[in-house]
């Protein structure tokens, strides 16, 4: 008889994340990313949703490859999809850069001394539903940086896998990467980046 611990059902882990979300708040914003108050995180991602502030960070190595991260199975929305390096929501009083640095260290063990040029390169509004589980309605800031030390140590509770991919090839030849299901906000950020639509000042136009 095996003495290993039984695996925890994915549904149970998702229930845990749902409970966590119900205890947290996100910053509600207008189409121009101006604060309108706080919203319960679970409420913001269910029903008709609440537009809120978010970010996604794209980290590169010195050869132009992007570090993609797979969302863990326990995630309620877009579980197992591949994202840019990290994505999340700043809390009240936290800047996008502060939130990004925090999530990079929490999810991938990447610290600020491994990069030095973290900048907000774009900001856009989008709204997407995921199956019958909920939705994202965000004004999403995009931050980018280049790693001079590419080592990382992912947290499997948050990141199911990670890989380096040629960024330009990913955009120009999506058929080569069709086995990767990409998160919608990352696809929007990548397209805007390559089509020169990126602008860190939000224009209130939804993708």
């Amino acid at each position: 008889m095996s003495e290993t611990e039984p695996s925890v059902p994915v549904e149970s882990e998702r229930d845990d994340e749902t409970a966590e979300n119900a205890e947290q708040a996100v910053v509600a914003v207008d189409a121009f990313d101006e604060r309108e108050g706080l919203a319960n995180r679970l409420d913001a991602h269910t029903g008709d949703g609440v537009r809120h502030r978010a970010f996604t960070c794209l980290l590169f190595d010195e050869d132009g490859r992007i570090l993609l991260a797979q969302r863990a199975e326990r995630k309620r929305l877009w579980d197992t999809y591949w994202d840019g390096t990290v994505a999340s929501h700043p809390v009240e009083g936290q800047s996008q850069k502060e939130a990004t640095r925090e999530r990079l260290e929490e999810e991938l063990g990447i610290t600020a001394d491994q990069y030095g040029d973290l900048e907000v390169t774009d900001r856009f509004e989008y709204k997407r539903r995921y199956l019958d589980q909920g939705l994202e309605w965000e004004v999403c800031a995009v931050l980018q940086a280049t790693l001079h030390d590419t080592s990382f140590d992912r947290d499997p509770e948050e990141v199911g896998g990670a890989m380096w991919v040629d960024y330009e090839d990913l955009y120009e030849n999506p058929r080569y990467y069709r086995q990767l299901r990409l998160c919608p906000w990352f696809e929007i950020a990548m397209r805007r980046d390559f089509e020169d639509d990126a602008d860190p000042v939000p224009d209130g136009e939804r993708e």
Side-chain angles (χ1 to χ4, degrees), residues 81 111 131 135 137 173 199 201:
Y81 277 61
T111 56
L131 305 176
L135 76 163
W137 184 9
N173 299 291
D199 185 347
V201 180

Side-chain angles (χ1 to χ4, degrees), residues 1-16:
M1 180 180 295
S2 171
E3 296 182 357
T4 60
E5 292 292 329
S7 60
V8 178
V10 171
E11 191 61 38
S12 175
E13 293 176 350
R14 289 181 187 153
D15 290 345
D16 290 343

Side-chain angles (χ1 to χ4, degrees), residues 62-132:
E62 294 176 352
D63 295 320
R65 297 184 304 167
I66 186 172
L67 180 59
L68 298 184
Q70 185 184 39
R71 290 169 62 82
E73 289 186 357
R74 81 184 191 97
K75 299 290 187 181
R76 194 172 58 84
L77 302 180
W78 282 277
D79 49 297
T80 73
Y81 277 61
W82 287 85
D83 198 354
T85 313
V86 293
S88 191
H89 314 89
V91 298
E92 175 78 343
Q94 189 179 43
S95 73
Q96 299 284 21
K97 288 186 179 181
E98 290 169 342
T100 298
R101 291 191 181 100
E102 181 178 88
R103 294 306 290 173
L104 284 171
E105 186 164 0
E106 290 176 351
E107 295 190 9
L108 292 163
I110 294 175
T111 56
D113 60 356
Q114 294 178 246
Y115 54 89
D117 58 347
L118 185 67
E119 297 293 339
V120 177
T121 60
D122 194 12
R123 206 179 310 250
F124 57 85
E125 179 188 353
Y126 77 99
K127 189 174 187 178
R128 296 288 188 278
R129 293 191 177 275
Y130 179 63
L131 305 176
D132 61 350

Side-chain angles (χ1 to χ4, degrees), residues 121-123 191-200 203 207:
T121 60
D122 194 12
R123 206 179 310 250
R191 175 179 56 76
R192 288 170 61 91
D193 201 6
F194 278 100
E195 296 181 4
D196 294 325
D197 290 332
D199 185 347
D203 58 14
E207 291 286 333

